[in-house]
Amino acid sequence: MIYASKLGFTWGMTTNATLINEQKAKELYYAGLVSITVSIDGLEDNHDWFRNTPLAFKKMEKGIKALIDFAPAYARVDVLTVVNKKNISELEDIYQFVSNMGIQSWRIVNMEPIGRAIQNQELMLDDNDYKILFEFIKEKHFDSQSIEVDYGCSHYLTLQYERLLRPYFFICMAGLGVASIACNGDIVACLDIDRRKELVQGNISHDDFWDVWKNKYYFFRKDKTVLNQKCVTCEDKEFCAGDSAHTWDYDKNTPMVCMKEILKNV
């Protein structure tokens, strides 16, 4: 990461914070880190259960404290919560926890039908859960004095809800403003996207990253809506553009999540 910073790249990271202490916090700063996001998946019992790791919550809490103690050196320290059936009842308590920790912002997203979540459908939110979630975010987004509370960048929320739940309009930045290097050196877009062969743009061991960025990422820079009959006729397609790349079904060429449909019932 020090090398990336010397090349002029801005970088941040998402972490469970369990291995971060004061020394690691300083090392991250000197490596050029400008933002860091810590995952919080509920209060202690739910967080440890979701992570399947005893003491994960306590270790995460210590990691956040180390980052906050070194906070003047960072541009941003925030937390991210993936809301599911088990932790949605803890939203207010999580809010109090992150506020008391001195966190600058809290981003909230819903559990997605990707990865291992596909085998855990019982954790997916239903229409009533979405109503509770969005009303909570809307209230805190405008009323919270101690911390920024926003819905994450995950999905297009319709023109009615976009500015009620976050301070910017949706755009999936995968391949447009965001690129990632996986642990095996693969050059990809957002790390949340399924690591399909056709979506890997190269490998840092034998490809020039800047050349890849300038001359590849074809799929991410084209209009996905033309690939789907329902999307291409949608009145919001110019704002949604087929929604997020991480929940696009690349076999069926259709979005797996359409918040416009969900919000009809909220």
Side-chain angles (χ1 to χ4, degrees):
M1 292 299 101
I2 294 175
Y3 180 66
S5 296
K6 288 180 178 179
L7 292 177
F9 292 106
T10 298
W11 69 277
M13 65 180 291
T14 299
T15 176
N16 59 26
T18 58
L19 298 179
I20 293 179
N21 52 30
E22 182 179 351
Q23 181 59 36
K24 291 296 182 184
K26 291 180 179 179
E27 290 175 3
L28 288 169
Y29 166 66
Y30 290 122
L33 182 70
V34 298
S35 68
I36 188 164
T37 300
V38 179
S39 297
I40 297 180
D41 301 308
L43 299 182
E44 186 167 358
D45 288 345
N46 267 335
H47 182 88
D48 289 357
W49 169 83
F50 193 76
R51 295 273 156 180
N52 195 27
T53 305
L55 300 177
F57 186 89
K58 292 187 182 300
K59 292 177 181 178
M60 170 272 295
E61 188 175 9
K62 290 182 179 179
I64 289 179
K65 288 180 179 178
L67 292 167
I68 292 298
D69 288 344
F70 210 61
Y74 290 98
R76 191 175 188 87
V77 178
D78 64 11
V79 297
L80 174 70
T81 297
V82 178
V83 178
N84 58 66
K85 276 283 189 181
K86 283 181 68 69
N87 66 11
I88 191 169
S89 62
E90 297 181 338
L91 287 173
E92 183 63 38
D93 292 325
I94 299 171
Y95 170 76
Q96 295 299 329
F97 172 77
V98 296
S99 296
N100 293 336
M101 288 287 287
I103 296 295
Q104 296 171 320
S105 73
W106 180 26
R107 290 183 290 120
I108 307 173
V109 296
N110 52 279
M111 191 171 181
E112 305 279 36
I114 58 177
R116 286 184 292 176
I118 297 174
Q119 283 77 48
N120 293 274
Q121 293 291 322
E122 73 281 2
L123 295 176
M124 295 292 183
L125 303 183
D126 57 32
D127 290 345
N128 186 60
D129 295 325
Y130 276 110
K131 182 177 181 179
I132 293 171
L133 175 62
F134 289 151
E135 285 300 317
F136 175 84
I137 297 174
K138 183 170 66 173
E139 175 190 346
K140 299 300 185 185
H141 180 70
F142 286 102
D143 295 342
S144 177
Q145 302 297 314
S146 60
I147 185 173
E148 298 175 18
V149 181
D150 305 311
Y151 182 74
C153 64
S154 301
H155 300 291
Y156 170 67
L157 300 174
T158 76
L159 296 180
Q160 177 184 356
Y161 278 91
E162 280 288 309
R163 296 305 294 273
L164 293 178
L165 301 178
R166 60 185 169 212
Y168 55 86
F169 285 105
F170 169 79
I171 180 173
C172 181
M173 295 299 289
L176 296 178
V178 173
S180 305
I181 299 174
C183 60
N184 65 348
D186 281 348
I187 302 173
V188 295
C190 172
L191 288 172
D192 289 337
I193 300 171
D194 188 15
R195 205 67 50 77
R196 299 170 64 99
K197 182 179 180 180
E198 69 270 27
L199 299 180
V200 175
Q201 307 300 304
N203 190 284
I204 200 68
S205 63
H206 51 73
D207 294 304
D208 180 80
F209 179 84
W210 187 237
D211 179 66
V212 169
W213 177 252
K214 289 190 297 181
N215 298 305
K216 292 192 176 182
Y217 289 94
Y218 309 119
F219 178 84
F220 302 101
R221 296 171 184 177
K222 67 181 182 181
D223 182 7
K224 297 194 297 293
T225 63
V226 300
L227 302 174
N228 182 272
Q229 185 176 2
K230 189 172 183 179
C231 289
V232 78
T233 59
C234 178
E235 61 185 5
D236 287 357
K237 67 176 184 178
E238 64 179 297
F239 308 109
C240 174
D243 205 70
S244 296
H246 75 283
T247 51
W248 182 264
D249 188 323
Y250 294 90
D251 293 315
K252 299 179 180 178
N253 280 322
T254 188
M256 291 184 282
V257 176
C258 177
M259 283 297 177
K260 184 177 180 180
E261 294 295 322
I262 292 173
L263 287 167
K264 287 180 180 179
N265 301 316
V266 171

